[in-house]
Amino acid sequence: ESRMENNANKQQIIGQAFRHRICTHAFHTIHNIGSQARSTLNKYANGDLSVGQHNNKGRTWAGSKKFTEGYDSMRDSLNALMEEQRTIQRLGPEDDVVLPLHLSRRKCYEQWSRERGWEVTKKNIDTGQYDTPENWEVVEGFYRSEEEALADADNGSGGGDGGDLRKVAKLAISWTVYSKFWISEFPQLKTQGRVG
């Protein structure tokens, strides 16, 4: 019986605090909860705490190996940059690394992309907005695809280097992915920003 009294007291306190009552639909609308989230909340409230099963279990995306290689390459490049700057600035392993003024996040991205075989182009020079990777140019000495490298080897027009698959440009990673990766994986690697 004390439990019922306790619930009655709680309802009375809530009733006094909020004079105007609203229905659950209005509550969900105010808090931007859609119908799918609402049904999930109702399931959880009714005690069904099971996790939904997806049909993709055990499958891997065809491009995941290439994308993993891109993340590994970004990680290696940023680790090397951080260690180089720690050595130059004589910092400890726990200190934040602030890059010199001539090194910005964008400059590091452009250099990293160039090492992978892509010359990053800008869509708008005034705003610094990059073009999509599909429109980038291949750095001289690199091939856009393995097929292009093999065709060059068959033609023999590679100047003795034709068909070298090591010179095929790696997967192009967009600025957004690179920037988010830097921020999430390397928060201690900071830039000084614009001066003047």
Side-chain angles (χ1 to χ4, degrees), residues 87-103:
T87 303
I88 292 170
Q89 299 174 19
R90 298 183 179 143
L91 299 173
E94 301 301 320
D95 296 330
D96 283 352
V97 175
V98 179
L99 296 177
L101 281 174
H102 71 278
L103 282 177

Side-chain angles (χ1 to χ4, degrees), residues 14-191:
I14 290 172
Q16 290 172 351
F18 303 102
R19 299 270 179 224
H20 180 73
R21 293 185 176 195
I22 60 173
C23 67
T24 57
H25 180 73
F27 175 83
H28 289 133
T29 303
I30 290 170
H31 293 285
N32 201 19
I33 299 173
S35 60
Q36 198 170 20
R38 192 177 317 131
S39 69
T40 303
L41 289 172
N42 286 336
K43 284 181 186 176
Y44 287 165
N46 294 331
D48 181 20
L49 298 176
S50 62
V51 177
Q53 294 294 320
H54 299 283
N55 293 332
N56 290 336
K57 184 178 178 183
R59 296 183 188 170
T60 57
W61 173 54
S64 65
K65 184 177 179 185
K66 286 183 180 178
F67 216 72
T68 302
E69 184 276 327
Y71 279 133
D72 290 343
S73 175
M74 282 190 279
R75 189 174 289 110
D76 293 344
S77 173
L78 292 174
N79 269 328
L81 175 66
M82 195 163 55
E83 290 309 314
E84 175 188 7
Q85 290 301 316
R86 277 203 171 116
T87 303
I88 292 170
Q89 299 174 19
R90 298 183 179 143
L91 299 173
E94 301 301 320
D95 296 330
D96 283 352
V97 175
V98 179
L99 296 177
L101 281 174
H102 71 278
L103 282 177
S104 67
R105 199 174 285 162
R106 286 180 179 265
K107 291 245 190 228
C108 292
Y109 171 65
E110 291 170 6
Q111 178 61 34
W112 177 76
S113 295
R114 206 171 292 113
E115 290 169 2
R116 292 176 61 80
W118 297 103
E119 191 63 51
V120 179
T121 56
K122 292 188 178 177
K123 187 188 300 185
N124 187 337
I125 294 179
D126 295 333
T127 62
Q129 183 181 13
Y130 290 113
D131 208 349
T132 57
E134 295 83 35
N135 297 331
W136 292 353
E137 295 295 322
V138 179
V139 173
E140 188 176 333
F142 280 86
Y143 297 100
R144 187 172 287 277
S145 66
E146 288 182 15
E147 293 80 23
E148 190 178 301
L150 293 173
D152 192 33
D154 291 342
N155 293 339
S157 62
D161 191 20
D164 187 1
L165 293 181
R166 291 173 293 174
K167 291 291 191 172
V168 174
K170 305 280 194 269
L171 178 71
I173 306 285
S174 71
W175 161 247
T176 307
V177 172
Y178 183 87
S179 181
K180 286 181 180 178
F181 182 83
W182 181 317
I183 291 167
S184 66
E185 297 281 325
F186 293 88
Q188 70 279 17
L189 187 58
K190 304 193 183 304
T191 58

